[in-house]
Amino acid sequence: MKRLTLFVAAVCLCLLAAPGAEAAKKPIILKAAHNGNLQADDAQNMAFDVFKKMVEEKSNGEIKVQLYPAAQLGDARTIVEGVQMGTIELGDIENGPMGRFVPEAMLWDLPYIFRDIDHAHAVLDGPLGKEVQELYLKVGIRHLGYNDGGFRSFTNSKRPIKSIADMQGLKIRVMESEVMINTINAFGASAIPMAFGELYSALQQGVVDGQENPLNLIESQRFYEVQKYLSQTEHFYYPRQYILSEKFWQKLSPEHQKIVAEAALAGCATQRKRIAEQEAEMLGILGKLGMEITPAKDIDKESFAKAAREKIYPMFYAKIGGTEARGKELVQRVIDTK
């Protein structure tokens, strides 16, 4: 009897010590990062909440999502590199740094390439958008879906911007995007690449005269405190995207892969909806906060768009497409999309 008791105890100890038994109890950790802000009603944070809830509920807690907003894991480029290496599982990232990884992604950065938000969605959710998504697999990233950051407009501390002539001599902060840097320079201003986290103090200290961002970021980052003029130029569309580490994806079961992919699309849909609501609210809010606003209808957008077509598009055909002919074809496919 004593031997039997000892045998049973030994078996129990072995089972408790077995790696598989412990691992089965441990949830899969998915770190999700963005470099926006901490406001609970911000589109990115609302979307992340939807993603987290959906993944954890549908996986019955087998996947635990840890949220890292407001650049807690680094700026946009750092997050993309982290996703590529597998140290960060998921990122919600603006398109600015993406051309360094997938040159075709620079298509979305071209100024005035999209007529309006419906045109942008038709392209991104259509065949061309899906083709570009597939290219991310070559660099270890699984592109799960596009969402919106809104159209970008200029603010500055010097004067209203009503046409391209008003850009002369202004120092404008831009993201680390080759397209954006060259575009601002082509508009007659001086483009100053700078991390988003450094922007407010740079505006405050006069290191740069102005910046360009969607309306909700102009409000949430309190740029109205250090910028007088807002001009609704809508020169760049600002797509964001949910990207996932391919290393992480391959470790997931097919069931978990399906859950994560569906939750990403739900998050993107939430973000698009919230951005649309904020766009409708922001002009009134920023006006009440003291900004002098030049609305889109009062801006000579054609003066900007002409410079974009003549100076910027040809400059990037070969960079985007590998050859000038393919790049030109890709741009034309965007323009021709209904």
Side-chain angles (χ1 to χ4, degrees):
M1 185 69 182
K2 187 176 179 182
R3 286 183 180 177
L4 179 61
T5 303
L6 289 171
F7 174 75
V8 171
V11 170
C12 290
L13 284 170
C14 287
L15 288 173
L16 287 171
E22 186 180 348
K25 296 177 184 177
K26 267 179 109 171
I28 298 166
I29 301 300
L30 188 161
K31 297 186 295 295
H34 71 64
N35 64 323
N37 62 61
L38 287 169
Q39 291 183 344
D41 65 344
D42 182 77
Q44 282 183 282
N45 293 316
M46 291 176 69
F48 258 19
D49 288 342
V50 168
F51 175 80
K52 173 181 171 69
K53 183 178 179 182
M54 191 168 171
V55 168
E56 292 183 348
E57 286 185 354
K58 290 205 167 189
S59 70
N60 295 315
E62 292 173 358
I63 303 175
K64 181 175 176 55
V65 179
Q66 297 176 347
L67 302 181
Y68 294 89
Q72 291 176 21
L73 298 186
D75 61 14
R77 184 176 175 183
T78 302
I79 292 172
V80 181
E81 290 171 346
V83 169
Q84 188 180 36
M85 292 185 293
T87 56
I88 299 171
E89 284 72 39
L90 181 135
D92 174 27
I93 295 301
E94 67 265 22
N95 202 60
M98 295 310 202
R100 296 172 180 269
F101 301 86
V102 176
E104 287 84 351
M106 285 192 286
L107 264 174
W108 321 139
D109 287 340
L110 290 174
Y112 295 104
I113 191 71
F114 296 115
R115 296 184 293 274
D116 51 37
I117 196 66
D118 291 334
H119 180 217
H121 289 170
V123 173
L124 296 174
D125 298 341
L128 183 53
K130 289 179 172 59
E131 286 176 30
V132 174
Q133 282 182 298
E134 290 297 319
L135 297 174
Y136 280 83
L137 291 172
K138 296 180 180 178
V139 294
I141 294 172
R142 183 163 291 263
H143 192 296
L144 297 178
Y146 296 100
N147 60 65
D148 290 335
F151 280 91
R152 301 174 75 90
S153 292
F154 289 114
T155 70
N156 81 95
S157 59
K158 300 293 186 183
R159 55 181 173 268
I161 296 171
K162 297 183 178 180
S163 75
I164 197 169
D166 297 319
M167 296 290 293
Q168 304 303 310
L170 293 177
K171 294 177 292 183
I172 303 291
R173 176 269 176 184
V174 295
M175 289 190 286
E176 291 186 55
S177 159
E178 193 177 358
V179 174
M180 293 184 175
I181 292 167
N182 281 277
T183 295
I184 300 308
N185 289 335
F187 286 169
S190 297
I192 313 294
M194 184 183 297
F196 189 64
E198 301 170 12
L199 178 52
Y200 185 94
S201 61
L203 293 169
Q204 190 175 42
Q205 295 164 16
V207 175
V208 291
D209 301 313
Q211 60 87 49
E212 46 85 50
N213 260 300
L215 300 180
N216 68 305
L217 285 181
I218 293 170
E219 189 273 335
S220 67
Q221 299 301 305
R222 306 177 73 89
F223 292 149
Y224 54 83
E225 295 178 341
V226 289
Q227 297 277 270
K228 174 67 175 174
Y229 304 101
L230 165 62
S231 300
Q232 202 179 5
T233 47
E234 299 178 332
H235 48 280
F236 292 130
Y237 169 64
Y238 188 44
R240 306 187 68 92
Q241 47 248 300
Y242 275 30
I243 56 172
L244 190 82
S245 166
E246 182 63 13
K247 291 178 182 177
F248 177 75
W249 176 267
Q250 293 300 334
K251 293 176 183 176
L252 296 176
S253 68
E255 180 186 1
H256 284 169
Q257 287 177 346
K258 185 172 184 289
I259 289 169
V260 170
E262 289 178 351
L265 291 178
C268 287
T270 297
Q271 192 156 327
R272 281 183 174 182
K273 182 175 182 294
R274 179 58 185 151
I275 282 289
E277 293 169 351
Q278 287 182 316
E279 286 283 301
E281 301 165 359
M282 280 301 120
L283 282 181
I285 291 173
L286 291 167
K288 289 179 182 177
L289 288 168
M291 297 200 82
E292 184 178 313
I293 297 172
T294 304
K297 65 181 179 63
D298 294 336
I299 292 172
D300 178 15
K301 288 188 179 182
E302 181 54 30
S303 65
F304 290 97
K306 185 173 184 290
R309 292 191 299 267
E310 293 177 357
K311 298 179 181 180
I312 301 302
Y313 292 11
M315 185 186 301
F316 286 94
Y317 286 148
K319 292 179 185 292
I320 289 171
T323 66
E324 187 170 337
R326 181 169 179 264
K328 192 172 184 178
E329 177 194 349
L330 290 172
V331 168
Q332 196 61 47
R333 284 179 65 186
V334 174
I335 293 169
D336 290 344
T337 300
K338 304 299 182 186

